[in-house]
Structures are given as C-alpha cells and as structure tokens.
C-alpha cells in the first residue's frame, strides 16, 4: 500500500512538474522583447483594438480578458502579464503556443499593437481620462438624402468635437441596420455625413427611423438621437395573398382540391381497414355459432 | 372400401400432425445460443438507448448534423427502413394476387420484416428530432399541404394494414397453437386463445377471412407504393440539386423492391439453416427469389441510369458540384462501390444459375442490403452539402458530414430492434404459415380443423 502511495505521489509530482514547465518557459529573444509599440494610446486605436479583441480573443480569454472564456486560458490583465513588455506580448500573440493560435498570419502588425494597447487600458482604466458627455445633433439633407451628425461639447460653449466615431443606423423590424461605415469620424467642424441608401422599405407610409449613436467610445459617454423621415419605400401589404387558399397558406387555408383528394384517399383506405377490423368480430361471432 | 378410406384419413392425419409439429418446432426449441443472441441484441439496444438519452440531454450536437447537413444517418436509416418494409406488399400482395403459389412460405417472413422495419422507421424519425417533446405539434398544427404530414399519415396507415396482413392469415395457425401448445406458460396460452378469435375453421369464417385478405391485398398495393413515393417527395418537393427530380417516386419504389427482396433472401436463409426448414424453403425458392432480385435490380438500374445520366449530361451549373462530387469527387468511391458492388455485379452474377443457390445468393443479398443502405446515405447527405445558394462564413467542419459514434450506435440499435422483433416472433408464432402450407399440400379442411 505504502509503495502504491509513493508511486502515485511521484507520478503526481512528475505531472505537475511537466505542467509547471509548460506554463513558464515561453522563450522570447531579447531583440523581440525590445520591440517598441509604434501606436500611441489613442481612442481611435483603442476602438480598433477592442473590436479585434471582441471578435477574435473573447472566446478563449473571456469578456474581461481574465482567462475565463469558453476554455481556460491565461489572464491578460493580471500583474504578472502586464509586467511583460509590449514586445514580448507582441511576439506571443504573433507566434502562439498550444491552443493559443498564431495571429501573426491573421492580423496586421498595427492591429496586434492596438490590441496590446487595449489590453493595457483594460487592466488599468486610469490610463485614459474619464469619458465626457457630448451633445449629438442630427440634421438631414433633403435633395440627396443624407444624414449629418454634429458632435458638440456638452457645456455651454458648444465647441465642435473632431475625431469622434459616430455610428448611423436605420431601425428595422428586429433591430438596427447599419448604414455608412463601421467608423465615421467627425471633421474639424464636428460634423460627419452619410448618405441614405436607396430602396430601403419603411412602414406602410414609407417612414423610416434614423438612429445616430456614439457608443463604446473611450472618451465620450454613449449618446443617441433619432429622427423619423419619409424616405423609405412604402411597405406593400400582402394580406390578400395570404388570406386565400393556396399551397403556401396556413393550416386552415389548404386548397380545396387538396382537401378533397387527401381526405378522399384517407377515407377510402380507412374504410377498408375499418371493414376488415369489423370482419374480425364477424369471424369471432361465426365461431360461437358453430359451438351451439 | 370404407376401411381403406378410414385408413387413408388416419395416414393423412398423422402426416398433418407431423407437419404441424415440424413447422412449430422453433417454438419448442430455445437453446442457449438463442438466449445469447437475444442478450446480444438487447445489449446493442441498451447502448443505443444510452446514446439517445445522452442526445436528449445534450441536444443534437452529439450528432455531426450541422446547419448545412441537417439530415444524416438517421434520415438515411429511415428511408432505408421504409424501403425494406415495402417487401411486405411485394411478396404478400403483388405475388399473391398474381397467383404466384411458390411464395406462400415467404409471406409471413416478409410481413414481419415489414412490420418490424416500420416500427423502427417511426422511432428513428423521433430520434432525428431535436425536440421530440414537440412531436404532437405535427398533429395539432400540421398543414395538409406539407409532404411531412402525408408521410406520417401514410406510414401509419401502412403499418396498420401490414399488422392486419400479418395477423389475419395467422388466425387459423393460432387456433392450432391453442390446441398444441398446452405446455407453454399461462400468458402465452391466453394470448393464443384471445388472438385466435375462437377460430373453428367453419366455411363462414373462411369466407370472411378470405374476403378480408383480398380487400387488404388490394388496398395495400397503392398504399405501399405511396409510402415510398411520399417519402421520396419529402426530398423531391424541395429545390435541391440531386433531389429536384421528377422520377424520384418510381426510383425509390424500384430501389425498395430490390432491397426488400434481398432482405427476405437473407432472412429466409437464416431461418432455413437455423430451424432446418429445407423441406419448406427449398433451393427452388432461393432460385426464384434470386430471379426476382435480378428483375427488381434491373428496374432499379434503369432508374439509376435516368437519375444520374441525364443531369450529368446537362451539367447545370447549380447541380454540377453535387454531381461531380458523386461521380468523381468526395463521394465517388462510395458512389461507384454502391453502384457496382451493390447493383451491377449482383445482376451479372445472379443471371448465372449456380449463383442462385442458397449460400452464394445469401452472400450477394447481404452485399445488396449494405449497398442499399449506403445508397440512401448518398441520396440524403451529399445533396445537403451542395445547396444552390452559396454558403459563407461557416466553420470548415460544417462542410462535411461524418456520422458520430453516437449516431452509428443508434442506427445499429435500430437494426438490432428489428432483429429482436423478428427473433421473438419466431419463438411465439410459426414463421412459415401452417394452415396455408397444409392447404396447398392438399390436406382437407376437416383434417386441419379436427386434429
């Protein structure tokens, strides 16, 4: 028994040693580690970094980058990780190891750097100033249908704010449909304009709801403005089409010929079956008569 | 003179008794090998059951069915089982109505195969459902316009007719069992008593029985054709490469008769050798079944030619990926093995008489059955992997379908279930019709009734 215990103990020790060495040695050469991050920590870069992180890394590293995604990976916000230089992290993301995929082939260098910036900010939110409130206005151009968003500071000075990412949407039945680009940055006058696409279907009168949003921004709090315009194509009602009997109709709208045919066949076949089952009783009865 | 006559009757009576005990002998012989066999089947079924419970808990993710290939082994199994079940109508109704006498010893074998296969088919459809608890929706919300509703109606109708066709010719035999199986357990005797409906063999009873049988045999033919036609419409009525075909109905029916004939050959071989029924299931029977298999295979070959030659000649752009996949692509090895080993080679071999001897015929039939199963798989899955609309942004694995262990075990379980039903049936009822055999051997009804 004691022997067995020693063997087990040795085995456990051996395994944990193996696991330990696995988690520690990730060799990064000195010149790789010394590589400098060319990107500054700017809202624009951070937004890109966050988008990439949300799209590609969250599954394994978790929403908070704490290593608790669908699989157990490593925390990217704890102190041990954050102590590493940008160069080391860059190398690890590019080359990968085990379940960590090598992203060097999938992401551009700038994209990896911006993810690193985002990880830095995620671990230490004080790296960026607290977000500010803004005033968001929506104006529309009528000749060529266009939407202009104007971003102004929320204070009484109402200064135009440049380089703010604004998102444009049209409201649909089950959510928002994006129009314009993924990111639309305001110019020096605080304005950014997108064009309204053709052939968008609105309600029965052609009304569409335009939505302009500032969201997930590092410098400014979320903000949203809406406007209703009669820009869409009116929604045609197909009521008549659906209320008549047809193959695509609902349960109580099956075509008459189908009802007659199907039920006719069912009736004939089952009449025979019922007749045969009735005959079984007749057979039984005929046997009884014989006894008497 | 009267003495001679009486003597003759005595001899006939003895002969009849011998016939009855011979045909009922499987009921009295339950060796350990049978018990092992049943245990083995139960084990397979239990494993399938375990896998199914796992599937219920974890969802259809335990299968390899995904967004693109949303039908797989289960549906292939379903189509295969429906095909097999068609043989009941072929042997009992079509041959009988055309006055083919030799098929009599095979009628019950083919009917029990049909019933067992149908039960398994109905179960496997439930297994294929992600939410079997919503099965009742089809009855409450089903639309008569949907082929799925037709399929449910027609499969259940066919099952009822098949059970009746199995049961009614059994009634005279049950009456005999009532008399001869006095040593069996109480429940079994009681079952014989209830099921035999107080059969006395009166003329009136025979008249009603024959009337019922004729009615059933006439009605089962259109119903049988429609169960497989409607099953084929489940595919043909959707706009998919490979399924979008106008000959799918007859193509399926022809294939069904072929696999059905092969299944009966395999089963009758096993029964013949196991229970020493050489006197009833003769080489002649095998020879004739072999010819039937050639005939049905030739018809099927003809439909295959139409089904693949015509689209391959046209190579419509939407369908070409699918057809090339079968002929020269991902599924070509399977496709050509099935076509050559499972159809063309059997035809070529079986037109030579020595190959229609029991053993070679049985081996060929096993190959035909396996080929037929794989053929159903080839009908279901490759089509789904090549939809008309291009698929984008799916994981690579979604573009292939390889059945998981769980799916394979459940499918194997369905076959085990069929064999279990047939094996138990053989132990409870005579698998070769006693009354009909006696009748055809010329025993008068008085002897049959009064022995």
């Amino acid at each position: 028994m004691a022997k067995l215990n020693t063997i087990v103990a040795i085995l456990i020790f051996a395994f944990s040693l193996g696991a330990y060495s696995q988690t520690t040695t990730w060799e990064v050469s000195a010149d790789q580690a010394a590589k400098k991050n060319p990107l500054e920590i700017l809202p624009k870069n951070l937004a890109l970094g966050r988008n990439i992180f949300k799209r590609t890394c969250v599954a394994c590293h978790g929403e908070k980058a704490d290593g608790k995604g669908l699989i157990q990976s490593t925390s990217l916000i704890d102190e041990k990780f954050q102590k590493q230089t940008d160069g080391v992290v860059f190398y690890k993301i590019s080359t990968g190891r085990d379940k960590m995929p090598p992203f060097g082939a999938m992401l551009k260098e700038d994209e990896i750097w911006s993810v690193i910036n985002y990880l830095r900010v995620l671990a230490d939110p004080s790296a960026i100033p607290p977000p500010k409130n803004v005033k968001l206005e929506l104006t529309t151009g009528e000749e060529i249908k266009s939407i202009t968003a104007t971003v102004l500071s929320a204070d009484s000075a109402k200064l135009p704010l440049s380089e703010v990412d604004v998102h444009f949407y049209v409201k649909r039945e089950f959510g928002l449909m994006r129009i314009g680009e993924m990111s639309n940055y305001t110019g020096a006058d605080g304005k950014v304009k997108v064009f309204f696409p053709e052939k968008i279907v609105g309600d029965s009168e052609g009304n569409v709801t335009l939505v302009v949003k500032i969201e997930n921004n590092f410098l400014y709090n979320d903000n949203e403005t809406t406007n209703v315009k009669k820009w869409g194509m009116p929604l045609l009602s197909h009521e008549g089409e659906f209320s008549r009997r047809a193959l695509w109709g609902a349960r109580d709208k099956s075509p008459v010929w189908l009802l007659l045919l199907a039920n006719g066949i069912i009736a004939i076949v089952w009449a025979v079956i019922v007749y045969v089952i009735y005959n079984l009783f007749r057979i039984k009865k005929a046997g009884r008569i014989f006894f008497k | 003179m009267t003495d001679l006559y009486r003597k003759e009757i005595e001899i006939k009576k003895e002969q009849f008794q011998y016939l009855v005990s011979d045909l009922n002998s499987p009921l009295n012989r339950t060796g350990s090998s049978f018990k092992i066999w049943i245990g083995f089947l139960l084990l397979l079924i239990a494993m399938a059951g375990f896998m199914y419970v796992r599937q219920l808990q974890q969802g259809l993710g335990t299968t390899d069915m995904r967004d693109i290939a949303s039908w797989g082994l289960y549906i292939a199994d379903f189509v295969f089982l429906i095909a097999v079940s068609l043989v009941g109508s072929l042997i009992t109704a079509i041959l009988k109505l055309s006055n083919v006498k030799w098929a009599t010893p095979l009628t019950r074998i083919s009917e029990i195969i049909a019933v067992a296969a149908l039960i398994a088919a109905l179960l496997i459809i439930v297994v294929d459902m992600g939410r079997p608890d919503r099965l009742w929706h089809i009855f409450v919300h089903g639309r008569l316009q949907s082929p799925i509703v037709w399929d449910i109606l027609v499969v259940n109708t066919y099952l009822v007719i098949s059970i009746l066709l199995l049961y009614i010719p059994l009634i005279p035999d049950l009456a005999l069992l009532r008399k001869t199986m006095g040593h069996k357990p109480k429940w079994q005797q009681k079952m014989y008593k209830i099921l035999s409906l107080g059969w006395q063999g009166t003329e009136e009873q025979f008249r009603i029985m024959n009337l019922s049988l004729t009615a059933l045999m006439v009605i089962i033919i259109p119903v049988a054709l429609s169960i497989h036609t409607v099953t084929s419409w489940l595919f043909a009525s959707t706009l998919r490469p490979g399924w979008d075909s106008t000959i799918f109905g007859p193509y399926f029916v022809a294939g069904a008769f072929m696999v059905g004939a092969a299944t009966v050959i395999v089963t009758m071989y096993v029964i013949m050798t196991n229970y020493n029924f050489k006197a009833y299931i003769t080489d002649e029977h095998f020879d004739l079944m072999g010819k039937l298999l050639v005939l049905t295979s030739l018809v099927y070959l003809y439909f295959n030619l139409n089904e693949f030659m015509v689209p391959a000649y046209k190579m419509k752009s939407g369908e070409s990926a699918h057809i090339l996949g079968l002929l020269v692509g991902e599924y070509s090895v399977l496709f050509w093995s099935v076509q050559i080993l499972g159809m063309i080679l059997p035809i070529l071999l079986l037109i030579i008489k020595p190959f229609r001897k029991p053993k070679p015929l049985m081996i060929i039939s096993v190959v035909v059955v396996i080929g037929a199963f794989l053929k159903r798989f080839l009908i279901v899955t490759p089509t789904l992997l090549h939809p008309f609309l291009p698929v984008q942004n799916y994981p690579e694995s979604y573009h292939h379908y390889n059945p998981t262990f769980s799916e394979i075990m459940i499918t194997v379980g369905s076959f085990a279930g069929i064999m279990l039903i047939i094996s138990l049936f053989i132990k409870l009822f005579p698998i070769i019709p006693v009354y009909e055999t006696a009748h055809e051997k010329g025993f008068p009804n008085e002897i049959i009734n009064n022995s």
Side-chain angles (χ1 to χ4, degrees), chain A residues 246-251 253-254 258-259 262 266 269-270 273 275-276 279-280 282-284 286-287 290-291, chain B residues 139-145 153 157 160-161 167-168 197-200 202 204-205 207-208 211-212 216 219 223:
Chain A
L247 276 178
W248 61 83
R251 182 177 163 81
K253 293 277 186 301
S254 34
L258 182 70
L259 281 178
I266 294 170
V269 172
W270 277 90
I273 294 177
Y275 165 72
V276 169
N279 274 353
L280 293 179
R282 282 175 66 201
I283 289 179
K284 188 151 194 186
F290 182 79
F291 256 136
Chain B
F139 303 103
V140 182
H141 306 297
R143 297 157 60 249
L144 200 55
Q145 294 99 308
L153 280 169
T157 305
V160 172
I161 299 180
Y167 170 56
I168 292 179
L197 295 181
W199 179 266
Q200 306 287 343
T202 66
E204 175 71 359
Q205 283 181 321
R207 198 183 61 80
I208 302 172
L211 214 62
S212 313
L216 284 178
I219 203 79
V223 173

Side-chain angles (χ1 to χ4, degrees), chain B residues 64 66-69 330-331 381-382 384-387 389-402:
Chain B
D64 198 41
R66 295 291 181 267
D67 289 29
I68 306 178
E330 188 181 4
Y331 284 102
T381 298
L384 287 168
L385 294 176
H386 300 287
L389 288 177
V391 278
Q392 293 165 331
N393 301 329
Y394 274 119
E396 171 61 18
S397 65
Y398 282 33
H399 291 275
H400 308 278
Y401 170 75
N402 297 304

